[in-house]
């Protein structure tokens, strides 16, 4: 018997008829999971084949044509459960900072130069002693199994195939070791220190054992932001038995929180004494803290407001960038994330002094929509846009993208 989860003759059935076959199959799979009594958490199950319903496309041409990352966002919104969509796209309070991050890029315009040889483009960047193929890095995003059963492993495999650096979250579902082993990725590890430093030490040990050379310390999370959309889901995720937090397996005593409201600048010296990784501070949004990052010996910083998920009413990250770049004055790399959706956004951030950029939601839209393949599509789109924009603007390599290329309106 074929399982059909569309409503016979109903409006939903009409809508389904017009859908791409792959999308239809994915919706049917997810409806089936709901039908057997599982909500978004059911996405932790391995992909299952329903009779008469393929869960992965047989031929590449069956995958819809995604023109930009917003097409992936749309598809992920059709196939993911509501809880997962809210958790992924939600922000703090009224999500004004989420919007500000995106909108601020529209207040910056590009000053293109002409008659420059752009027949060959190099997107390479040097970062922490390594040459990266391109400056587009996957931000740490927790609980990726909530978006797709293969979670962080799918993202890491895509990052290897498409040559992007990936940062694994402390609260990944697969452990950093599983991700490194299964994808062969050269990962960076994002750290949420717990109040129990013995637990934090073990997290660092696990990351180093998995080959991580860079520790990204998130400094904007003394407590979790007021996420009215997706907030209760996060609490459920943290306590979920199904979506376990792989890195904490067997080391987190009952009742120990995964954030530390008592954290101060002394953590940098403590990290130096307890690991050999480079230390990058993620969440710096002011000149004053950039100066302290230098004083306390950080190896790099990421200008970030956690994608607008922590404190509402922060400035957009691209608006914070210039004062921080000025303060750092080339002494350590300055990265940025938040609201980057287009190649032109990446170009503008690099022009304003970022060494590289990180992206969060865009690659997760790809993950939610199509698993590894969707992440690959998201990365291809963003890198493809960047290369074309560099050609159109007249900058043949990343170092040639200077401050003169942009103007604020
Ligand atoms: C669903 C979700 C989960 C996240 N989890 C983490 C995390 O575990 N650790 C962290 O430092 N940042 C986390 N972030 C913040 C991202 O690393 C990044 O700062 C943000 O997504 C960038 O903004 P963008 O989504 O607009 O690109 C998360 C963001 C999202 C959307």
């Amino acid at each position: 018997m074929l399982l059909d989860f569309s409503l016979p003759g109903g409006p939903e059935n009409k809508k389904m008829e017009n859908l791409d076959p792959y999308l239809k199959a994915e919706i049917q799979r997810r409806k089936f999971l709901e039908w057997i009594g599982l909500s978004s958490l059911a996405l932790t199950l391995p992909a299952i084949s329903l009779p008469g319903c393929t869960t992965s496309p047989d031929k590449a041409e069956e995958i819809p044509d995604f023109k930009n990352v917003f097409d992936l966002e749309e598809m992920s919104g059709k196939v993911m459960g509501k809880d997962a969509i809210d958790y992924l796209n939600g922000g703090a309070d009224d999500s004004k900072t989420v919007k500000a991050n995106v909108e601020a890029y529209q207040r910056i315009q590009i000053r293109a130069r002409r008659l420059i040889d752009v027949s060959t483009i190099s997107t390479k960047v040097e970062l922490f002693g390594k040459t990266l193929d391109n400056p587009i890095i996957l931000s740490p995003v927790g609980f990726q199994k909530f978006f797709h059963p293969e979670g962080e492993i799918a993202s890491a495999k895509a990052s290897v195939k498409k040559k992007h650096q990936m940062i694994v979250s402390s609260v990944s579902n697969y452990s950093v070791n599983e991700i490194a082993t299964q994808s062969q990725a050269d990962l960076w590890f994002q750290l949420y220190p717990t109040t129990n430093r013995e637990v934090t030490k073990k997290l660092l040990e696990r990351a180093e054992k998995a080959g991580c050379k860079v520790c990204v310390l998130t400094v904007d999370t003394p407590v979790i932001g007021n996420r009215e959309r997706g907030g209760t889901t996060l609490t459920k995720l943290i306590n979920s038995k199904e979506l376990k937090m792989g890195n904490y397996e067997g080391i987190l005593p009952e009742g120990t929180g995964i954030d530390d409201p008592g954290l101060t600048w002394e953590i940098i010296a403590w990290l130096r004494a307890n690991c050999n990784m480079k230390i990058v501070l993620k969440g710096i949004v002011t000149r004053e803290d950039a100066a302290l990052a230098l004083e306390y010996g950080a190896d790099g910083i990421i200008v970030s407001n956690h994608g607008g998920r922590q404190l509402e009413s922060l400035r957009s990250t691209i608006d914070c960038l210039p004062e921080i770049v000025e303060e750092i004055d080339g002494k350590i790399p300055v990265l940025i994330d938040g609201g980057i959706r287009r190649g032109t956004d990446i170009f503008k951030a690099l022009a304003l002094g970022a060494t590289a950029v990180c992206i969060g939601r865009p690659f997760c839209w790809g993950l939610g929509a199509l698993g590894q393949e969707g992440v690959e599509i998201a990365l291809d789109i963003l890198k493809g846009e960047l290369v074309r924009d560099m050609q159109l603007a007249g900058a043949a390599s990343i170092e040639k993208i200077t401050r003169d290329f942009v103007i604020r309106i």
Side-chain angles (χ1 to χ4, degrees):
M1 189 191 86
L2 289 186
L3 290 168
D4 181 5
F5 294 97
S6 50
L7 304 172
E12 193 173 339
N13 203 27
K14 278 268 161 303
K15 263 195 247 157
M16 289 280 283
E17 266 170 27
N18 302 329
L19 283 180
D20 175 275
Y22 179 77
L23 183 52
K24 208 155 130 184
E26 187 65 16
I27 291 175
Q28 281 185 320
R29 180 173 82 83
R30 297 192 187 210
K31 282 194 173 177
F32 171 75
L33 293 171
E34 271 174 30
W35 179 73
I36 61 172
L38 295 159
S39 70
S40 294
L41 289 182
L43 301 181
T44 59
L45 293 173
I48 50 167
S49 287
L50 299 179
C53 161
T54 41
T55 55
S56 59
D58 289 335
K59 296 185 213 96
E61 55 268 26
E62 283 181 24
I63 292 182
D65 181 23
F66 296 99
K67 290 190 182 55
N68 48 51
V69 295
F70 305 110
D71 286 348
L72 286 166
E73 176 181 17
E74 194 183 331
M75 179 157 171
S76 70
K78 284 178 181 152
V79 299
M80 292 198 314
K82 185 184 177 303
D83 289 349
I85 297 169
D86 283 351
Y87 167 62
L88 175 56
N89 294 334
D93 293 4
D94 306 303
S95 289
K96 291 203 172 91
T97 307
V98 179
K99 290 187 202 106
N101 277 345
V102 174
E103 284 167 9
Y105 279 98
Q106 300 320 309
R107 295 194 296 275
I108 302 166
Q109 291 177 333
I110 297 175
R111 299 175 68 244
R113 299 300 309 276
R114 304 301 182 207
L115 296 174
I116 286 166
D117 179 359
V118 287
S119 47
T120 312
I121 293 288
S122 166
T123 57
K124 289 194 177 10
V125 285
E126 297 288 325
L127 210 45
F128 305 124
K130 203 178 135 189
T131 305
L132 304 184
D133 170 77
N134 65 77
I136 309 167
I137 296 174
L138 283 71
S139 291
V141 169
F143 301 101
Q144 292 182 28
K145 258 191 171 184
F146 201 31
F147 311 136
H148 189 275
E150 283 153 22
E152 296 87 6
I153 291 183
S155 304
K157 284 184 175 168
S159 77
V160 171
K161 194 160 162 202
K162 298 295 170 182
K163 302 190 187 139
H164 292 254
Q165 181 64 51
M166 172 167 168
I167 311 174
V168 169
S169 164
S170 273
V171 292
S172 55
N173 292 126
Y174 289 99
S175 71
V176 62
N177 188 47
E178 285 171 301
I179 302 166
T181 312
Q182 292 203 37
S183 68
Q184 299 301 307
D186 187 0
L187 302 163
W188 296 358
F189 182 70
Q190 174 268 325
L191 178 71
Y192 285 132
T194 65
T195 45
N196 179 335
R197 288 281 165 94
E198 286 309 307
V199 175
T200 309
K201 257 192 217 170
K202 287 188 185 133
L203 284 175
L204 294 173
E205 271 166 32
R206 287 182 172 184
E208 289 198 296
K209 224 169 146 198
C212 299
K213 302 276 186 298
V214 177
C215 172
V216 174
L217 172 73
T218 299
V219 295
D220 59 13
T221 318
V223 293
I224 294 173
N226 180 34
R227 316 225 183 120
E228 292 176 11
R229 191 180 164 204
T232 49
T233 304
L234 178 59
T235 315
K236 278 190 220 152
L237 286 173
I238 291 170
N239 297 312
S240 163
K241 295 262 181 297
E242 292 88 356
L243 284 171
K244 63 185 176 63
M245 299 186 290
N247 297 315
Y248 296 88
E249 281 286 285
I251 61 168
L252 194 66
E254 193 79 14
T256 310
I258 55 164
D259 38 48
D260 180 2
L263 214 61
T264 62
W265 290 92
E266 66 72 40
I267 184 72
I268 298 177
W270 185 88
L271 285 174
R272 283 262 178 257
N274 285 283
C275 77
N276 291 314
M277 292 182 272
K278 299 272 183 204
I279 299 162
V280 175
L281 305 186
K282 172 174 183 279
I284 300 296
V285 288
T286 60
R287 170 196 294 279
E288 295 86 330
D289 282 345
L292 286 169
L294 284 179
E295 192 182 320
Y296 282 87
D299 296 301
I301 57 179
I302 305 181
V303 178
S304 174
N305 55 33
H306 220 102
R309 298 161 79 79
Q310 284 299 101
L311 179 62
E312 180 71 305
S313 280
L314 288 179
R315 289 174 294 168
S316 75
T317 48
I318 195 68
D319 284 332
C320 299
L321 183 66
E323 69 179 51
I324 292 170
V325 165
E326 194 178 83
E327 189 66 40
I328 295 291
D329 195 22
K331 294 186 183 82
I332 53 173
V334 177
L335 285 68
I336 182 170
D337 74 13
I340 292 166
R341 306 289 181 261
R342 285 284 188 185
T344 48
D345 300 340
I346 301 169
F347 187 93
K348 290 169 187 177
L350 297 172
L352 287 170
T355 316
V357 305
C358 310
I359 51 157
R361 294 178 184 89
F363 87 82
C364 294
W365 292 330
L367 179 64
L370 292 166
Q372 180 183 338
E373 190 140 28
V375 180
E376 289 176 19
I377 294 170
L379 298 175
D380 273 346
I381 288 172
L382 288 172
K383 186 177 165 193
E385 286 182 359
L386 173 64
V387 168
R388 186 195 297 246
D389 296 334
M390 288 169 71
Q391 290 176 301
L392 290 171
S397 64
I398 300 296
E399 29 327 332
K400 295 220 165 91
I401 308 175
T402 56
R403 182 72 181 75
D404 294 341
F405 274 99
V406 287
I407 186 159
R408 284 173 172 274
I409 51 170

